[in-house]
Amino acid sequence: MVTTDILIVGGGMAGFSMAATLAPHAGVILIEQESQPGYHASGRSVAFWEESYGGPGVQPLTSASGPLLRAPDPAFSETPFLGPRSAIHIGKADDDGLAEGMLAAFAGSGVTFERVDRAAMLRALPGLREPWVVGVAEPSCRDIDAAGLLGAYRRAAIRAGTRVQLSTRFAAARREGRGWQVETSSGTIACGMIVNAAGAWADDVARRAGLGPLAIKPYRRTVVQLRCPEAPAHFPLIADLGGGFYFKSEGAGRLWLSPHDETPDVPRDVAPEELDVAIAIDRFCAVVDWRIAAVEHKWAGLRSFAPDRLPAYGFDPRTEGFFWFAGQGGFGIQTAPAAALIGGALALGQPLPPAVAMIDAAAYAPGRLIED
């Protein structure tokens, strides 16, 4: 039997960011059921950082992460994780109310928006079809190096002493004395704390530890890579105000497109459905008049949400030593630095660091999701 202070379940962005934060203060083992880190949601991101994405409840986490991604500690990374992009949220004439609602929802948040007319939209997106006349620009939107960020957290975690066990499945856990005895496919691990960073499998991990779930449910998201010769080499992230699509350039004549689908699914290695790919292309063709020369690649990933669409960070109030770090939806990468600082402080019983001290961590407490 192996002994450690903290066992982290999940080897994606959530798990490795927590490992990097906790390992300087305690012994940490991280287990991942797949043979490589970041295999599921963390490795299937469209890779943008957008302050409005996820809504007003998530925005403080994204905004607080911005400075840490733009200018990371040199000991963590010698290069920034954010690159040029910007975004424009577009709509038709009857979507003006959606535009005003978006501006109202983020009033006072510090996020900058600009109403833009059709002429400005056409300059940013040549070939935009006639019905699209409503625009809200979000200049702060950036590309994010998701793979680089995961790699930096992984390196930091290992440098700080984290022991990583890949191809290791969490089977069961029970309280024993003041800690936990955890059965895995690679053997037994005794620990004082379990950190549940298992993404789509988070509720399953809780059940295997004898706890009730938080109703964190996985939803399938589809992404398609298209080759469009008329597409500019660089244009803003284009997002539908009505939530029907988003797409962004990926070099000359190529782009990534999603129908912004959220299809209820189960924890698994998901693949794209042909119907969802067809819907994505149909919606895209209604936006711009670019010729599609080829569908070069397509994939899908799971995004896991709690019922209120906010993440769960904190100890489960029903037992000792079980810490939730899950429910990050599609915003887990862009909020990773702030989330890890909050999660690490809560797990260690420390005050929130200055970079996140203005955030109300109680809004993300898992107890809000537990029925009496």
Side-chain angles (χ1 to χ4, degrees):
M1 182 168 62
V2 178
T3 301
T4 189
D5 298 318
I6 300 171
L7 173 67
I8 297 176
V9 185
M13 190 71 74
F16 274 107
S17 63
M18 278 294 279
T21 305
L22 295 172
H25 308 279
V28 174
I29 293 177
L30 181 149
I31 63 172
E32 164 57 44
Q33 65 182 354
E34 306 296 347
S35 60
Q36 65 186 66
Y39 179 78
H40 291 285
S42 296
R44 308 183 192 194
S45 167
V46 180
F48 58 81
W49 178 90
E50 184 184 44
E51 289 180 280
S52 65
Y53 194 72
V58 173
Q59 173 266 317
L61 298 168
T62 306
S63 296
S65 295
L68 304 173
L69 293 166
R70 281 190 293 269
D73 186 325
F76 180 66
S77 175
E78 295 180 353
T79 58
F81 298 104
L82 297 183
R85 178 60 63 178
S86 81
I88 303 178
H89 306 264
I90 67 173
K92 300 177 182 179
D94 56 359
D95 291 329
D96 196 68
L98 294 176
E100 290 303 315
M102 181 179 186
L103 298 177
F106 290 93
S109 67
V111 181
T112 300
F113 297 101
E114 301 170 3
R115 290 297 300 261
V116 293
D117 59 18
R118 178 168 168 79
M121 293 160 65
L122 274 169
R123 286 193 295 272
L125 195 67
L128 182 67
R129 293 190 183 276
E130 286 295 333
W132 302 93
V133 296
V134 175
V136 178
E138 189 172 351
S140 64
C141 178
R142 295 289 183 268
D143 279 346
I144 184 169
D145 181 359
L149 183 61
L150 176 60
Y153 275 125
R154 185 185 182 196
R155 290 190 296 273
I158 292 172
R159 281 199 306 268
T162 300
R163 290 174 283 172
V164 178
Q165 297 183 10
L166 302 177
S167 302
T168 299
R169 186 175 62 87
F170 182 96
R174 67 176 185 274
R175 288 289 296 175
E176 190 164 282
R178 300 185 64 181
W180 292 89
Q181 184 161 306
V182 180
E183 303 301 329
T184 80
S185 59
S186 300
T188 303
I189 300 174
C191 62
M193 182 193 307
I194 296 172
V195 174
N196 183 1
W201 285 261
D203 271 1
D204 184 60
V205 167
R207 291 189 187 97
R208 291 172 183 268
L211 296 172
L214 297 186
I216 294 175
K217 299 185 181 301
Y219 297 84
R220 190 174 67 250
R221 173 64 52 85
T222 305
V223 183
V224 184
Q225 179 175 301
L226 301 179
R227 179 157 54 85
C228 298
E230 292 88 358
H234 187 86
F235 58 84
L237 171 73
I238 304 298
D240 178 22
L241 281 165
F245 59 80
Y246 55 82
F247 58 92
K248 71 170 192 172
S249 56
E250 282 297 312
R254 284 181 171 82
L255 58 91
W256 285 358
L257 162 71
S258 173
H260 209 167
D261 49 334
E262 288 187 358
T263 305
D265 214 307
V266 296
R268 65 187 179 107
D269 184 3
V270 291
E273 300 285 342
E274 289 304 321
L275 177 60
D276 294 327
V277 173
I279 289 172
I281 293 172
D282 182 66
R283 292 177 181 175
F284 174 75
C285 290
V287 178
V288 291
D289 61 6
W290 303 337
R291 177 174 59 91
I292 298 175
V295 175
E296 295 188 320
H297 189 40
K298 52 192 174 183
W299 67 94
L302 293 177
R303 296 163 177 251
S304 302
F305 291 96
D308 62 3
R309 312 282 292 189
L310 296 180
Y313 307 145
F315 284 105
D316 193 300
R318 298 167 293 189
T319 191
E320 293 184 22
F322 190 92
F323 191 92
W324 290 86
F325 197 69
Q328 290 96 335
F331 46 80
I333 293 173
Q334 68 174 29
T335 61
L341 291 176
I342 291 172
L346 294 175
L348 296 170
Q350 298 176 348
L352 296 185
V356 293
M358 77 299 293
I359 295 176
D360 179 15
Y364 312 120
R368 75 186 194 279
L369 302 170
I370 297 172
E371 296 182 0
D372 294 333

